[in-house]
Amino acid sequence: TLTSPCPQCDGVVKENYRRYACTGANGEGEGCGFSFTKSPAGRTFETHEAETLLRERRIGPLEGFRSKAGWPFASELAIVTDKETGQFKLEFDFGDDKAGEASGEIVDFTGQTSLGACPACGAPVFAHGSNYVCSKAVPTAAQPAPNCSFKSGQVILQQPIAPEQMQKLLATGKTDLLDKFVSNRTRRTFKAHLVWDKAGSKVGFEFEQRESKYPARAAKTVAATAGKTSTSTVKTSKTSTKKAVPARKTAAANYRPDAALAAVIGSDAVARTEALKKLWDYIKAHNLQDPQDKRTIVADDKLRAVLGKDRAGMFELTGLIGPHLVANA
Ligand SMILES: [Zn+2]
Ligand SMILES: [Zn+2]
């Protein structure tokens, strides 16, 4: 049992086999549905960590997580409200230091070793928060008003950027070929060098020159990339990977059907789309479409408990099952 209460209902949060879960006010009930996994990304919480996370709604950065592809990463974790379901859930937060920026807090780099000279203004660059920043890009005692904007994430598209790589970027304008970037759009990993894009005044990608079966085309691609670096650059300071992980989790089976929905589609964890598909399987199997108008679903007892009414339009289904899907953290 954790001493901090459920963020959703103030109930008692207890540890079960795989999760920390709300057990309601008396600690013996079903609870409100709030729970989070004990082992996000292959790393098991210490009890005191779970306690801190619950109390502060945030912990970290913690090290020792492993991605699905098997590489290690560090991240903060936060308990946030799921925009879709309104439920609290656990989320990796790779941070973009917005809070720090807004607070205008004076940063003290005393005792820190600079990784090199800022490519924009020449001032020393340091590791700071979840970024590498130019010492003139943050408020310091010597310089309360920042006048540079150089900032680059320590994790970019899930690829950790080691200090040595940042040193290399600052010294030569380019990192080694890094192979653990994960595209937000395609979810595929890709290899790239981080490069300093002078024209755009930002850190961008330079893609590996791939050996191809189609040399002509490959050459063209490379030329296009080299010629128009700006199109492939990203503003790394804002390229928080915050969205990447939750988005990928959306596609995974990250919702648990509640009791009413489980009676219809089973209790296996599902992705949203999968839940809808299973619901349709049930509707079809039980012949619950109005014969006069196939777009109208005529609920049986089990389905009525989910839809909350006797008849529902097919386009309402997604919205109606939403409240019956409990985020799996
Ligand atoms: Zn609760
Ligand atoms: Zn600078």
Side-chain angles (χ1 to χ4, degrees):
T1 305
L2 299 179
T3 55
S4 303
C6 169
Q8 210 149 260
C9 75
D10 266 350
V12 180
V13 176
K14 282 189 177 171
E15 175 178 356
N16 62 35
Y17 179 51
R18 305 172 78 171
R19 307 180 67 80
Y20 289 102
C22 173
T23 54
N26 61 7
E28 277 154 30
E30 289 271 301
C32 65
F34 170 77
S35 73
F36 61 93
T37 176
K38 285 161 75 173
S39 304
R43 180 194 189 283
T44 304
F45 285 122
E46 306 276 343
T47 309
H48 70 91
E49 291 172 343
E51 196 75 72
T52 304
L53 173 64
L54 200 56
R55 191 179 58 240
E56 316 272 335
R57 303 259 173 102
R58 170 171 287 278
I59 190 171
L62 300 176
E63 296 193 340
F65 298 107
R66 285 211 166 253
S67 74
K68 282 183 184 145
W71 49 268
F73 68 96
S75 175
E76 289 190 25
L77 283 154
I79 291 176
V80 300
T81 312
D82 185 303
K83 286 199 186 73
E84 282 179 54
T85 65
Q87 296 255 0
F88 283 88
K89 63 167 186 183
L90 185 65
E91 183 177 276
F92 285 108
D93 185 349
F94 297 100
D96 53 13
D97 271 11
K98 268 191 194 125
E101 260 169 49
S103 75
E105 229 170 86
I106 298 289
V107 180
D108 185 3
F109 292 113
T110 312
Q112 271 202 63
T113 310
S114 166
L115 297 165
C118 169
C121 77
V125 170
F126 296 96
H128 176 60
S130 53
N131 289 299
Y132 297 107
V133 297
C134 169
S135 48
K136 293 199 168 173
V138 289
T140 57
Q143 154 124 13
N147 63 5
C148 179
S149 63
F150 179 81
K151 184 158 81 165
S152 185
Q154 290 178 16
V155 177
I156 295 175
L157 294 178
Q158 305 187 33
Q159 162 79 57
I161 312 299
E164 305 80 68
Q165 292 300 331
M166 185 44 57
Q167 278 173 332
K168 204 165 236 181
L169 174 69
L170 297 174
T172 68
K174 188 170 173 175
T175 65
D176 291 339
L177 185 66
L178 306 174
D179 60 2
K180 306 268 192 313
F181 292 106
V182 178
S183 161
N184 267 337
R185 201 166 46 82
T186 66
R187 309 278 161 242
R188 293 222 178 102
T189 57
F190 66 90
K191 302 179 186 183
H193 301 273
L194 286 183
V195 294
W196 173 246
D197 169 21
K198 227 177 223 166
S201 236
K202 57 194 172 188
V203 175
F205 293 122
E206 183 181 295
F207 298 103
E208 70 169 323
Q209 306 198 359
R210 239 188 311 196
E211 285 179 35
S212 168
K213 277 185 267 182
Y214 312 101
R217 202 178 147 208
K220 212 166 158 190
T221 311
V222 172
T225 309
K228 295 194 298 176
T229 328
S230 57
T231 56
S232 59
T233 54
V234 284
K235 201 165 175 221
T236 49
S237 60
K238 296 294 175 207
T239 307
S240 154
T241 44
K242 200 182 249 178
K243 287 187 191 101
V245 166
R248 186 170 57 184
K249 283 185 359 195
T250 306
N254 61 343
Y255 289 97
R256 282 181 297 114
D258 68 5
L261 186 58
V264 175
I265 68 165
S267 54
D268 287 352
V270 286
R272 229 157 231 285
T273 48
E274 207 183 339
L276 192 63
K277 188 175 162 294
K278 285 184 172 179
L279 187 67
W280 269 110
D281 290 346
Y282 181 89
I283 290 166
K284 296 234 163 89
H286 295 79
N287 204 15
L288 301 177
Q289 284 168 282
D290 183 340
Q292 306 301 315
D293 178 4
K294 296 269 187 195
R295 288 170 306 177
T296 301
I297 313 304
V298 184
D300 62 4
D301 288 344
K302 284 181 182 173
L303 202 53
R304 194 175 299 114
V306 174
L307 305 180
K309 51 187 175 182
D310 293 334
R311 300 168 68 85
M314 63 185 280
F315 300 111
E316 290 178 80
L317 291 181
T318 311
L320 289 171
I321 64 170
H324 297 280
L325 290 169
V326 182
N328 231 343

